[in-house]
Amino acid sequence: MNQDYIKPNSWSIIEDEFCTERMKSSESLFSIGNGAMGQRANFEERYTGETFQGSYIAGVYYPDKTRVGWWKNGYPDYFAKVLNAPNWIGINVCVNEEQLDLHTCKTVTDFRRELNMKEGWLSRSFKATLQNGIEVEVHSKRFLSLELDEVGVINYEVKPLNSAAEITFQPYLDAGISNEDTNWDDKFWDTTDIGHINHQAFIEAKTMKTDFHTCTFMESKVFIAGQPLLVAHNVKADAHQISFNYTYPVKQGEVYSIHKFGGYTVDRNHEKTRLIKAAQTVLKTAIHKGFKGLLEAQKLAWATIWDMADITIDGDVKAQQGIRFNIFQLNQTYLGKDSRLNIGPKGFTGEKYGGSTYWDTEAYCIPFYMATKDQNVARTLLEYRYNHLDKAIENAEKLGFTNGAALYPMVTMNGEECHNEWEITFEEIHRNGAIAFAIYKYCHYTGDYSYIPEKGLEVLIAISRFWQQRASYSNAKSKYVILGVTGPNEYENNINNNWYTNYLAKWCITYTIEQIAHVEQAYAANFSRIVEKVKLTKKELALWKTVADNMYFPYSEKHQIFLQQDGFLDKELVSVEGLPQAQRPINQKWSWDRILRSPYIKQADVLQGFYFFEAQFDEPTLARHFDFYEPLTVHESSLSPCVHSILAAKLGRMEQAYTFYLQTSRLDLDDYNSEVHEGLHITSMAGTWMSIVEGFGGMRITDGKLSFAPKIPRQWEGYSFKVNFRNHIIKVNVTQEHTHLEMQCGEALDIIFHGKPLELKNNVLQTLSKSL
């Protein structure tokens, strides 16, 4: 554990000390978002210390030209970067003409920052003595509206404590910003116009290359002792910034405050010639509601989200705080309102990974959104990939594949591959399998098979064509092999026959063949349309089946396990226990050469396959593989601890399951991997939800029925969660003595509880025997 300054609290993230050394980490942890935009927790007032300024607009990106030392055929031309957008939150504060800056103040005391997850707002308060000797007390609160998702609101209050003072608020917009993450230090934005009307200001800017047009806007109102003021405002503008000055003589002990309304209108949602008009329209609505009205709406919107998504944990405040932080950040990042968007690994909290879409969405996020919202949100995420199918086929063609084979990108904004590390771009092809598996998972959970004949089967066929062509026949093994890959364990590159990849390939082909047969029988019109469109033949299907039936899987008779890859046993298998803590994380302390030769596993690889396909392996087989691979796993991927927690719970190893749960739920809060300053691990947060619902709650779909087999860690008095299963809302409450099940919405439903049939009736609470 690398940090412990976040105060344990079941509903809030709190820090109560001003510390310049951890400024960037706190800016990540206290980030806010509303699905349409987001921002790191930068100060409103000027701060000249070390900081990572970041404001982001969903779907707005820049194609940063690929930078590599040795260009290889097939490299993507660019790496898509989420753009640091024009800054609207800034409010310079002057006290007797001296700038308030916590980095230069004589003293800073009573500092407190809170991210209230229950109601969806960020607050900060402190006392500071400026160099001129004036002591002030400051309170700020801001949020990004869920109701008006183009708008954010700030309430900023200053009280002079030891004398009267002339205080100036200078709210501003700034388009002269740059990305922390850039390959060539390119100019990403072009400011096209700056203007103001009364107390409103606007900066129109467009992105270079991608030509997204945006309008950043603001309007402010000032108050003394809570009463509105009419203060003349001076306007200052230059090539990239516009500001207003509101100056007022404030008595000692009196509160001078400003309400700032700001945000973005974007040509993704409006005509590019009417962005200012759209900004004025939304500002009119926001101003009419006011700060208090918008805050009340914010509380109601979050109450609705929490009513379905909340997980309660009794008797363990840090565990409770962890899961709520994860659920909160997931909902700040993606709400399912816009089918053009997806879930970036850092969300709106930083720029690493480019803000793009990874396989994390399919492997980790879809189950969360499917169960805590409704199947339409999950279906929208599947359709996102269907809409990019042509691009996936183009991506495969660039690498030499033919006949409509598709390789979905490792990283994308618009369907094009834009990741430019060769061992990832060319070799981490298992992402194709995760996309196919998500289709299976969706149909399996929702019972909505219609997606496959309408759209999903085309995706499955294109992916299966890729696997058939990517496999090659080995005369030496008399099997089909898949060479030159990187599995989920990115600490092994360019290896042969990664078990997880090979198993996914076989499963994808087999599953696709089964769905083709079913669609032919049950959806004849769709079948005819698809076969004609993709030119599918029985001869091709026979070839697929030959590949799937004869896929090679590396296996050790000595250990009775599947090997991660052909050469895994050539390594010196020294467990992680032998690693000095001073050398962790190894990705920051070791050379890449040393990592590649080591036995250490970045994240679940073979065990990822056992998680996906657990029904195909018995528990003794799972236990052997878990006992072999887990001691070699350093969990330096955010996606790893959750899988291990779920599998440990299945095996009844509750101490391990609990430890892994804490690691996944507090990965960022406690900064396990010393990287939270770069942003949060948003997509893996869905794995935290799975750790409880699928791990401890034992939720599965068995023979088309919802199934639970709850277990509880000894550290907890109880826990509860809700799921939406085929429009049935079911609440599960587990204590050390009993499990309580209640169907809060829907007709009677037959489920399975610890392997036995059980009928749930609407609004009837059932108390069952002690959980295992």
Side-chain angles (χ1 to χ4, degrees):
M1 187 178 296
N2 295 286
Q3 66 184 26
D4 61 358
Y5 71 91
I6 299 299
K7 304 303 174 187
N9 185 286
S10 60
W11 274 112
S12 289
I13 307 303
I14 298 169
E15 67 170 330
D16 59 7
E17 182 184 9
F18 178 65
C19 178
T20 58
E21 287 77 16
R22 60 179 182 237
M23 188 60 64
K24 289 186 177 181
S25 294
S26 291
E27 288 170 346
S28 296
L29 292 173
F30 290 83
S31 294
I32 57 175
N34 65 0
M37 61 176 168
Q39 57 196 209
R40 292 170 59 82
N42 309 115
F43 295 168
E44 292 88 358
E45 76 277 0
R46 178 179 296 179
Y47 181 71
T48 55
E50 190 174 3
T51 181
F52 175 0
Q53 193 276 330
S55 297
Y56 309 102
I57 306 171
V60 175
Y61 68 95
Y62 177 83
D64 203 9
K65 187 178 184 301
T66 296
R67 183 168 191 164
V68 293
W70 177 22
W71 190 272
K72 296 178 178 64
N73 288 336
Y75 261 146
D77 292 331
Y78 66 90
F79 188 80
K81 299 289 175 66
V82 60
L83 287 187
N84 198 343
N87 177 17
W88 68 264
I89 71 167
I91 306 173
N92 289 328
V93 180
C94 290
V95 181
N96 286 353
E97 298 186 345
E98 182 175 326
Q99 191 88 229
L100 174 62
D101 179 347
L102 294 191
H103 190 62
T104 60
C105 283
K106 286 183 177 181
T107 63
V108 178
T109 63
D110 300 315
F111 184 90
R112 188 179 191 273
R113 178 157 33 188
E114 177 182 359
L115 180 64
N116 186 297
M117 300 180 290
K118 187 174 185 179
E119 299 179 352
W121 47 259
L122 169 66
S123 72
R124 185 168 52 97
S125 60
F126 58 87
K127 294 178 182 177
T129 303
L130 283 71
Q131 291 294 328
N132 62 12
I134 303 296
E135 184 182 7
V136 295
E137 180 178 324
V138 174
H139 294 268
S140 71
K141 180 179 286 187
R142 77 176 187 247
F143 59 92
L144 300 181
S145 173
L146 295 184
E147 181 184 35
L148 303 175
D149 64 10
E150 295 172 319
V151 174
V153 196
I154 302 169
N155 176 33
Y156 196 97
E157 303 175 350
V158 180
K159 179 199 295 184
L161 297 177
N162 60 348
S163 73
E166 184 179 74
I167 298 177
T168 298
F169 288 135
Q170 187 183 53
Y172 65 87
L173 304 176
D174 181 15
I177 43 80
S178 60
N179 263 44
E180 286 257 336
D181 180 21
T182 172
N183 289 342
W184 302 93
D185 296 323
D186 282 358
K187 180 184 178 184
F188 290 168
W189 289 96
D190 180 21
T191 302
T192 57
D193 193 30
I194 295 180
H196 64 94
I197 303 171
N198 298 322
H199 292 268
Q200 298 178 341
F202 311 94
I203 294 183
E204 292 188 278
K206 66 176 182 178
T207 61
M208 311 300 282
K209 295 186 181 179
T210 42
D211 202 38
F212 289 106
H213 288 247
T214 67
C215 174
T216 308
F217 58 83
M218 71 172 182
E219 182 172 353
S220 300
K221 292 184 175 296
V222 292
F223 304 81
I224 190 73
Q227 298 302 309
L229 277 176
L230 292 176
V231 178
H233 63 289
N234 299 320
V235 182
K236 182 180 179 181
D238 58 28
H240 300 290
Q241 188 175 107
I242 183 168
S243 63
F244 295 158
N245 280 16
Y246 297 92
T247 301
Y248 195 78
V250 183
K251 298 175 184 178
Q252 181 180 349
E254 200 168 38
V255 175
Y256 184 42
S257 59
I258 182 171
H259 290 177
K260 182 177 183 181
F261 301 80
Y264 309 101
T265 50
V266 188
D267 67 349
R268 297 177 71 256
N269 305 313
H270 305 281
E271 289 292 329
K272 63 182 63 176
T273 59
R274 296 182 60 81
L275 294 181
I276 290 180
K277 187 68 176 177
Q280 289 176 314
T281 298
V282 74
L283 274 172
K284 182 179 179 180
T285 303
I287 294 291
H288 176 73
K289 289 178 176 290
F291 182 87
K292 290 183 179 179
L294 286 171
L295 182 58
E296 288 305 309
Q298 186 82 345
K299 293 176 182 179
L300 288 173
W302 274 105
T304 300
I305 291 172
W306 284 117
D307 180 63
M308 187 63 220
D310 191 24
I311 290 180
T312 68
I313 297 174
D314 299 324
D316 190 340
V317 175
K318 282 198 166 186
Q320 177 69 87
Q321 184 180 41
I323 186 60
R324 282 188 173 140
F325 181 67
N326 285 251
I327 293 170
F328 179 71
Q329 292 294 351
L330 282 162
N331 279 284
Q332 287 202 126
T333 303
Y334 183 81
L335 290 164
K337 295 180 179 179
D338 188 337
S339 62
R340 299 166 296 176
L341 300 177
N342 210 285
I343 308 152
K346 292 291 180 189
F348 300 117
T349 71
E351 296 161 22
K352 190 175 180 181
Y353 305 128
S356 309
T357 302
Y358 283 61
W359 66 285
D360 307 19
T361 292
E362 284 74 24
Y364 295 87
C365 297
I366 282 180
F368 168 79
Y369 287 101
M370 197 156 50
T372 64
K373 298 192 183 301
D374 59 55
Q375 67 186 51
N376 293 326
V377 174
R379 183 168 174 138
T380 295
L381 288 169
L382 294 182
E383 289 174 348
Y384 177 90
R385 295 293 193 177
Y386 175 78
N387 293 337
H388 289 169
L389 178 56
D390 288 344
K391 290 288 187 183
I393 292 171
E394 287 181 23
N395 293 335
E397 288 174 347
K398 291 175 183 177
L399 301 183
F401 295 88
T402 61
N403 192 36
L407 176 58
Y408 275 91
M410 186 67 182
V411 178
T412 192
M413 280 288 191
N414 63 359
E416 291 181 296
E417 176 65 79
C418 59
H419 194 289
N420 46 44
E421 296 176 25
W422 66 269
E423 68 275 15
I424 304 299
T425 308
F426 302 151
E427 295 191 344
E428 204 161 334
I429 55 177
H430 65 82
R431 72 247 193 183
N432 249 14
I435 290 164
F437 188 77
I439 295 173
Y440 159 78
K441 191 90 171 179
Y442 170 81
C443 295
H444 196 52
Y445 184 87
T446 66
D448 173 22
Y449 190 82
S450 68
Y451 179 73
I452 289 183
E454 291 173 13
K455 297 181 178 180
L457 188 58
E458 292 178 51
V459 173
L460 293 173
I461 289 170
I463 287 174
S464 294
R465 282 173 163 165
F466 171 83
W467 287 126
Q468 178 265 307
Q469 293 179 41
R470 187 61 171 78
S472 53
Y473 187 74
S474 166
N475 287 314
K477 292 181 170 64
S478 298
K479 292 284 185 179
Y480 283 90
V481 296
I482 301 181
L483 309 177
V485 301
T486 297
N489 173 28
E490 293 170 339
Y491 289 174
E492 290 187 320
N493 302 150
N494 201 31
I495 49 88
N496 296 331
N497 296 309
N498 172 253
W499 179 83
Y500 173 70
T501 303
N502 287 21
Y503 200 90
L504 268 178
K506 175 185 174 69
W507 177 85
C508 284
I509 292 173
T510 302
Y511 180 67
T512 303
I513 291 172
E514 291 172 354
Q515 303 324 301
I516 289 170
H518 184 67
V519 171
E520 181 179 17
Q521 183 178 19
Y523 301 87
N526 289 101
F527 178 78
S528 298
R529 173 183 59 81
I530 294 168
V531 168
E532 175 62 27
K533 181 178 179 180
V534 305
K535 310 302 181 188
L536 186 67
T537 67
K538 290 184 178 179
K539 182 179 179 180
E540 184 180 4
L541 289 178
L543 179 56
W544 291 4
K545 189 173 187 305
T546 298
V547 172
D549 290 347
N550 293 281
M551 186 65 70
Y552 168 71
F553 301 109
Y555 188 79
S556 168
E557 291 291 347
K558 175 183 177 181
H559 298 283
Q560 294 287 290
I561 59 161
F562 292 107
L563 294 177
Q564 187 166 274
Q565 48 93 1
D566 275 346
F568 194 76
L569 291 182
D570 293 334
K571 301 187 176 192
E572 183 183 2
L573 302 180
V574 180
S575 76
V576 173
E577 287 183 347
L579 265 178
Q581 191 60 39
Q583 297 185 28
R584 304 282 299 275
I586 63 173
N587 62 19
Q588 297 176 24
K589 303 295 178 65
W590 285 12
S591 70
W592 196 243
D593 170 75
R594 187 179 181 186
I595 289 173
L596 292 176
R597 289 185 286 108
S598 81
Y600 299 124
I601 300 169
K602 181 182 181 184
Q603 68 189 84
D605 191 306
V606 172
L607 294 181
Q608 180 78 36
F610 272 76
Y611 164 66
F612 274 179
F613 304 109
E614 65 170 11
Q616 300 179 26
F617 303 97
D618 58 28
E619 283 198 22
T621 303
L622 169 60
R624 283 198 309 276
H625 286 77
F626 191 92
D627 291 340
F628 184 83
Y629 285 110
E630 193 284 321
L632 300 171
T633 305
V634 289
H635 304 291
E636 289 175 9
S637 164
S638 63
L639 302 176
S640 189
C642 61
V643 171
H644 286 79
S645 180
I646 294 166
L647 296 180
K650 180 178 175 64
L651 293 171
R653 302 177 184 183
M654 297 303 289
E655 287 301 312
Q656 273 189 304
Y658 174 77
T659 299
F660 284 127
Y661 164 76
L662 271 188
Q663 186 171 346
T664 186
S665 69
R666 299 190 64 87
L667 182 77
D668 291 318
L669 290 175
D670 295 336
D671 200 9
Y672 275 86
N673 290 333
S674 304
E675 57 188 12
V676 76
H677 60 280
E678 299 173 332
L680 305 179
H681 296 85
I682 300 298
T683 48
S684 69
M685 290 178 173
T688 303
W689 178 89
M690 294 191 303
S691 295
I692 293 182
V693 175
E694 297 181 4
F696 301 139
M699 188 182 81
R700 302 290 189 274
I701 309 301
T702 306
D703 298 326
K705 294 181 179 179
L706 191 63
S707 172
F708 296 104
K711 301 173 183 178
I712 184 169
R714 64 174 178 80
Q715 292 87 350
W716 297 355
E717 297 170 9
Y719 66 95
S720 72
F721 60 86
K722 286 183 184 179
V723 293
N724 181 348
F725 176 72
R726 303 181 184 179
N727 297 318
H728 296 79
I729 308 299
I730 299 161
K731 183 171 184 178
V732 180
N733 191 338
V734 183
T735 69
Q736 291 289 349
E737 293 77 30
H738 299 97
T739 296
H740 308 277
L741 296 174
E742 182 181 11
M743 189 164 65
Q744 298 182 341
C745 176
E747 300 298 321
L749 181 70
D750 291 328
I751 70 165
I752 298 171
F753 182 78
H754 281 301
K756 297 180 180 179
L758 177 70
E759 184 183 36
L760 293 182
K761 296 180 180 179
N762 186 262
N763 288 321
V764 175
L765 179 66
Q766 298 201 43
T767 300
L768 303 159
S769 59
K770 184 180 184 298
S771 60
L772 297 182

